[in-house]
Every structure is written in structure tokens, then in C-alpha cells.
Amino acid sequence: MSTLSKRIKQARVQSGLSQELLGIRIGIDPASASARMNRYELAKRVPDLELIERLADELGFPSAFFYAKEDEEAELLVKFHKLDLKLRKKVLAYIDSAALDK
């Protein structure tokens, strides 16, 4: 299973959607939505960047999440994505200061 296929399934399951419903919501023809999403999750097909962006928008995940190889990185991306701008700036400032302390 590729990182991309793993993350697609992970995001879909966390969102509580079926393959078919997710496919329909991102604009895939209803007759093939389930089969196409299944192929993406099994890494038999690779979605293009535009489809990944539609998935991200529909599921409320950052696009980068789908490409994160490490689970901790993926989790951080999701949590950072959910923060408002003020908190994002604080997190970045903290990371900057922590990097300087090394």
C-alpha cells in the first residue's frame, strides 16, 4: 500500500464516509465513484493533484497530509491545519525557538 493510498483511506474512514459517497461528493460519476475510490485506496490507480485537492477540501484535511510518509508528520499537518492564523503563528514561533536551542 502506498503512502497516498493509505492516507486517502485513513482520511475517508476518519470522516465516516463510504467510498461511494466520498467519490460522489468530490465529483466522480456516481456509477463509478465506489470503484474508483477503491482503486485509489488499493493503489491500483493514482489520483491527480486536482482530485487530491478536492479530497482535502471535502474531508477538511490539508493536501500535504496525503503525501506525509511518517504518521507523526501527518498528524501534525492535520492539527496545524485546524488552528486559526494566530495560533499557527505561535506554533511556528515555538518551532523556530526550539530549533535554535539545538
Side-chain angles (χ1 to χ4, degrees), residues 2-42:
S2 73
T3 297
L4 181 58
S5 62
K6 172 185 169 183
R7 298 283 178 226
I8 291 171
K9 182 174 183 176
Q10 180 183 358
R12 179 186 62 77
V13 169
Q14 284 181 12
S15 298
L17 297 174
S18 67
Q19 291 175 336
E20 180 179 27
L21 183 55
L22 178 57
I24 292 168
R25 285 188 177 183
I26 62 169
I28 297 174
D29 181 88
S32 63
S34 181
R36 279 189 55 192
M37 291 306 301
N38 184 265
R39 288 185 192 113
Y40 295 141
E41 290 184 10
L42 294 175

